[in-house]
Amino acid sequence: MKIAEYQIGHTLPSVQLPPVSRMDLIKYSGASGDFNPIHTIDAEAEKAGLPGIIAHGMWTMGNLSKLFTSYHEEGFIKTFTIRFSGMVFLEDVITLKAELKEKVNESSLFSVTAENGQGQAVIKGNVSFHLYQD
Amino acid sequence: MFEETIGKRSKRCINVVERGAVKKFAEAIGDPHPIYVDRDYGRASRYKNNIAPPTFPRIFDYGTIEGLRLPEAGLIHGSQDFEYNRPLIVGEEIVCFSKVENYYEKSGTSGTLGFLVIKNFGEDSGDNVIFTSTTVIIITEAVRKGLKT
C-alpha cells in the first residue's frame, strides 16, 4: 500500500526488533562514531549509576526510520522529531509503530513510537512524510 | 557558563556521504534496504543513486564551537529532530557546521537542569540547506559542578 492511500488513524506495518544485544550496540558505536562506554561496557554503565548498559537513543531513533524506507519512490522523511522518554536495556524487545494523524497539503503526518516489552514508549515523536507531486 | 556560547557557531567542515559508511550505518540500524546499499537498485530509483538514512548526519563532523566545553560523561540526550529538504545522496559533499541555539535552566525535584540546544546544518556547495538537525542535551547540576572544578 502507498502512503498516499493511508487514511487518518491507519498504522504502517509495525516492526518488532529482536531482543537488544550487546553486539547491536557495539555495531552502532562503530557505525556512528558514538563510543560513549555506557552503551557497551557494563562497568562504565554502573559507574554512571545505571543498572546495565543502555542503547544509544540514536540507535532506537535510527531503527524507527525504517518503517518509512520502502516508500522512497513516493516521498521522503521531511521532518523527524523525537523525545527520548525511556531507557533501552539489553534483551528488551522493541516494537516500532507509526500512525497517520493528519494530511496537510503534500505531507502525511505520523505519530511514531518505539515501545518496550512493557508497552512503555522509550522514544516518541512525529514524522512528516513529504509526498512527491510528480 | 553555557549562556555565553549562545549564538556561537563552528567553522564549516566538508563531509562526504561515503558509500561504505552509509552501508555500515544502515546495517547498524537494522535497515540494509537496497535503496541504501545496492548500486543497481539506487540507479533505477528516482534518485538515480543510493541515498542515506535520515539519521545518518549523526556521523558528520560539524567542527568545534569555540568556548563550548562539554563533559565527557553524564550528558543526557533529551530530544532530537531532523528537517530535510531532500534525502542525502551517496557520494555527495555536504558542508556542515553547528551553532548553539539556546541554553536555559529549569528547576526540578532533582535540582536545576540545564538544557543546551545545538543546531547542526548541512548544505550543498551552493549554500542551499539540505538538512538541519537540532539536539537538546540535558546537563544535570552534578555534571555542571564537575565542569567548574
Side-chain angles (χ1 to χ4, degrees):
Chain A
M1 194 153 130
K2 286 180 161 187
I3 295 253
E5 292 164 3
Y6 279 89
Q7 299 300 317
I8 313 293
H10 279 174
T11 53
L12 297 184
S14 64
V15 169
Q16 191 183 84
L17 303 180
V20 176
S21 72
R22 190 183 302 269
M23 192 52 76
D24 289 337
L25 307 181
I26 291 171
K27 273 190 193 158
Y28 188 79
S29 296
S32 69
D34 180 350
F35 289 102
N36 186 334
I38 63 165
H39 303 302
T40 46
I41 300 171
D42 296 320
E44 293 292 330
E46 281 156 27
K47 227 196 278 175
L50 298 166
I53 60 168
I54 57 169
H56 311 67
M58 292 300 296
W59 176 83
T60 314
M61 185 174 184
N63 267 278
L64 190 49
S65 70
K66 75 178 132 201
L67 295 179
F68 297 88
T69 310
S70 61
Y71 305 101
H72 58 81
E73 291 302 286
E74 217 191 329
F76 65 98
I77 290 182
K78 185 160 177 59
T79 61
F80 187 11
T81 305
I82 282 298
R83 183 182 285 265
F84 300 100
S85 49
M87 290 186 275
V88 174
F89 297 97
L90 291 183
E91 300 302 321
D92 276 358
V93 175
I94 301 296
T95 305
L96 312 170
K97 296 179 175 178
E99 181 185 339
L100 182 60
K101 289 289 185 190
E102 214 182 328
K103 292 184 181 192
V104 181
N105 302 324
E106 290 135 27
S107 292
S108 293
L109 309 180
F110 291 84
S111 69
V112 291
T113 57
E115 287 175 6
N116 63 18
Q118 290 76 51
Q120 293 159 334
V122 290
I123 68 173
K124 203 173 183 172
N126 299 289
V127 163
S128 170
F129 193 85
H130 176 83
L131 298 165
Y132 296 121
Q133 299 304 298
D134 51 12
Chain B
M1 67 204 313
F2 291 106
E3 281 87 349
E4 53 263 38
T5 65
I6 296 172
K8 285 195 180 169
R9 54 174 73 199
S10 63
K11 285 201 184 115
R12 288 157 188 263
C13 297
I14 295 178
N15 287 266
V16 179
V17 183
E18 288 170 6
R19 179 170 294 282
V22 167
K23 182 169 188 253
K24 245 187 234 168
F25 190 88
E27 286 168 354
I29 57 170
D31 194 15
H33 191 282
I35 193 63
Y36 299 139
V37 302
D38 183 296
R39 269 176 196 264
D40 291 338
Y41 188 98
R43 251 181 231 134
S45 76
R46 69 176 297 137
Y47 306 98
K48 308 279 186 269
N49 202 333
N50 298 102
I51 60 175
T55 61
F56 184 73
R58 178 70 171 168
I59 83 158
F60 291 152
D61 181 5
Y62 295 91
T64 42
I65 297 174
E66 213 183 305
L68 179 65
R69 205 161 60 92
L70 284 173
E72 305 222 322
L75 298 176
I76 301 162
H77 197 173
S79 65
Q80 177 70 42
D81 73 41
F82 292 91
E83 181 152 7
Y84 278 91
N85 285 318
R86 62 164 173 85
L88 295 172
I89 307 293
V90 166
E92 72 175 329
E93 283 191 350
I94 312 284
V95 183
C96 297
F97 63 95
S98 87
K99 183 186 166 200
V100 179
E101 277 287 288
N102 202 358
Y103 176 77
Y104 54 93
E105 292 179 350
K106 276 188 197 168
S107 301
T109 44
S110 53
T112 305
L113 296 176
F115 294 80
L116 182 67
V117 185
I118 305 276
K119 189 165 181 181
N120 292 331
F121 296 80
E123 298 177 344
D124 66 14
S125 51
D127 291 343
N128 302 301
V129 176
I130 303 170
F131 73 88
T132 59
S133 74
T134 305
T135 303
V136 179
I137 299 166
I138 303 172
I139 309 165
T140 62
E141 212 165 335
V143 169
R144 284 202 307 282
K145 279 190 183 135
L147 270 181
K148 279 179 185 156
T149 53

